[in-house]
Structure formats: structure tokens, C-alpha cells
């Protein structure tokens, strides 16, 4: 289980994100300098214990209306080769020293664990408490048992979010067959689902649903990620 250190990070995560966010293709800030506040999220464990994995929700209150973004973060103790384009920044951690912080959609360890979460093979963890599962984070996948570990990933950032196109082979022990393509769309702008409904995506194979806080302190819930067979429409 990941250990949450009660220490400082310099610069802080929100400070780094405020500099990075305006250049992203899914940013809706309209040119405003972001004014960010932490709104929630959750963590996943790296089985090797090397990469910190956090799915952070942050709310930008700089414009006419607040906008909540999701930023998956991968924390590393050394640079990730070939991922300079995805580097959000570096920060000095009070315990661990220098940390390289990446947009986690481009970090293969984070992507693998997100897929494991979708398959029910990874347990979501509380964002700020050691060794504490977060049962409010739920995942559903209609194709469970039909996929295997990822063989390749293609990442595309666009105005509607980030698409992770995963190529998988037949599951171990299953009849051999052609590789299968799945796409996980990471919703970068979080939108509350109607309170009376269970968040879902029509025509999708699965999804990840979690909470975040609105500026007035009310709890919102919606889709953090949606899984499609092939490419999303």
C-alpha cells in the first residue's frame, strides 16, 4: 500500500497545475489564469511500489463559473524516458526528495493500474489516508474475463478528454484470437450526474465513477473514465 507522507512539496501540486493547465486542449478556462482548489480524487497502488498514482479533481474558480478538472498524476523518483511532453513539473518532496510529476494519462504504470481498476483487479485507495480503501470509487466492466494485460497504448489528448487506446491479447487460458482494442476515455472535465440516477455511459463497456466536492461544499458524483470497445464515437 502507498504511504501518504505528511510533509511539504515545493512547488506544490496546485501551483504546478496552474502553470500547466492553460495549455491543455481540454481546458475551458478561456484564457484566464487558473485559480485552483483541490476538490477530491483517489489513489491506486503501483504493485512495484515505484510510482505514486493519484487521480486528482481540481476546481478552477477563475471564470464566470467553476470548472472541475480531472488530472491523473504519476509521481516518479526519476524522469520517465520519452515522456518529456507529459511532464507537469518537478517538486522537492520533504521526505522523498525530487519528484518528477507527469500527466498520468501518459504514464504506462498509471494506465495499467487504471485498466486493472476497470477490470476489478485493483482496489481504489483514499486520496489522503494510508492503507484505506475508498469504497465510494466504483468500477464496472461488461467484458470482464475477455481481456489480458495491455500490449500497447496510444494516447490522444483532445477537446473532450484523453483517449487511451489499449491493445490487448486473448486472456490467459482463453482460446487464441486476434488482438482486441479498447479505449478508455479519461474525462478531463467532471460533470455531476443527476442525483437520482446511477452514472453510466450508454453503449459503453464500462466506467469508473467517483465523487468530488463542489465549491459550496456539496458532494458531486460522475464519470471519471468510460470504456469503449474499439474507438469511442
Amino acid at each position: 500500500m502507498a504511504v501518504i507522507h505528511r510533509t511539504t512539496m515545493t512547488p506544490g501540486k496546485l501551483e504546478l497545475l496552474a502553470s500547466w493547465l492553460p495549455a491543455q486542449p481540454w481546458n475551458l478556462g478561456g484564457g484566464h489564469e487558473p485559480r485552483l482548489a483541490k476538490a477530491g480524487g483517489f489513489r491506486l497502488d503501483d504493485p512495484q511500489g515505484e510510482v505514486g498514482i493519484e487521480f486528482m479533481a481540481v476546481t478552477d474558480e477563475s471564470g464566470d463559473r467553476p470548472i472541475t478538472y480531472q488530472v491523473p498524476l504519476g509521481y516518479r523518483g526519476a524522469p520517465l524516458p520519452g515522456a518529456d511532453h507529459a511532464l507537469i513539473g518537478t517538486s522537492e518532496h520533504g521526505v522523498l526528495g525530487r519528484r518528477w510529476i507527469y500527466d498520468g494519462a501518459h504514464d504506462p504504470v498509471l494506465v495499467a493500474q487504471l485498466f486493472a481498476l476497470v477490470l476489478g483487479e485493483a482496489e481504489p485507495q483514499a486520496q489522503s489516508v494510508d492503507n484505506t480503501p475508498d469504497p465510494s470509487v466504483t468500477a464496472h466492466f461488461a467484458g470482464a474475463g475477455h481481456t489480458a494485460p495491455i500490449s500497447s497504448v496510444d494516447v490522444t489528448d483532445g477537446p473532450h478528454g484523453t483517449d487511451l487506446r489499449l491493445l490487448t491479447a486473448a486472456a490467459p487460458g482463453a482460446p487464441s484470437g486476434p488482438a482486441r482494442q479498447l479505449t478508455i476515455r479519461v474525462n478531463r472535465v467532471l460533470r455531476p450526474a443527476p442525483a437520482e440516477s446511477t452514472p453510466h455511459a450508454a453503449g459503453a463497456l464500462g466506467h469508473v465513477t467517483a465523487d468530488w466536492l463542489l465549491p459550496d461544499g456539496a458532494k458531486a458524483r460522475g464519470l471519471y473514465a468510460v470504456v469503449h470497445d474499439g474507438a469511442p464515437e
Side-chain angles (χ1 to χ4, degrees):
M1 296 287 186
V3 176
I4 309 300
H5 297 281
R6 308 299 176 185
T7 187
T8 59
M9 292 186 70
T10 308
K13 288 181 275 189
L14 293 182
E15 184 178 351
L16 289 173
L17 289 175
S19 297
W20 173 81
L21 188 64
Q24 306 316 304
W26 35 263
N27 175 46
L28 302 179
H32 296 283
E33 181 178 350
R35 189 170 72 249
L36 301 179
K38 184 177 175 181
F42 61 94
R43 291 180 180 264
L44 295 174
D45 287 328
D46 170 13
Q48 303 303 316
E50 297 294 331
V51 180
I53 300 172
E54 180 177 10
F55 293 78
M56 176 179 280
V58 294
T59 297
D60 181 7
E61 298 185 66
S62 63
D64 296 335
R65 59 184 179 87
I67 302 170
T68 300
Y69 297 99
Q70 178 195 181
V71 185
L73 299 171
Y75 304 95
R76 289 175 170 265
L80 174 61
D84 289 353
H85 64 288
L87 182 67
I88 294 174
T90 61
S91 180
E92 294 298 325
H93 189 281
V95 175
L96 301 175
R98 179 162 296 182
R99 304 295 282 172
W100 281 257
I101 304 174
Y102 290 91
D103 176 6
H106 298 264
D107 188 315
V109 172
L110 184 146
V111 172
Q113 288 310 106
L114 174 58
F115 189 45
L117 173 64
V118 169
L119 296 178
E121 297 171 357
E123 186 174 42
Q125 300 291 311
Q127 189 176 29
S128 303
V129 184
D130 288 346
N131 302 333
T132 303
D134 186 346
S136 71
V137 181
T138 59
H140 169 74
F141 185 56
H146 299 288
T147 53
I150 300 166
S151 58
S152 68
V153 182
D154 180 63
V155 183
T156 303
D157 288 306
H160 302 296
T162 301
D163 286 341
L164 311 175
R165 292 182 174 85
L166 316 180
L167 195 64
T168 69
S176 60
R180 181 179 185 183
Q181 179 178 298
L182 299 172
T183 299
I184 302 178
R185 171 160 291 176
V186 177
N187 288 329
R188 296 296 197 156
V189 177
L190 296 177
R191 294 182 171 87
E196 68 277 6
S197 69
T198 300
H200 67 283
L205 278 179
H207 54 79
V208 175
T209 305
D211 299 334
W212 67 93
L213 292 178
L214 300 174
D216 63 3
K219 183 182 292 185
R221 185 169 182 81
L223 294 164
Y224 274 54
V226 180
V227 186
H228 297 268
D229 198 357
E233 296 180 359

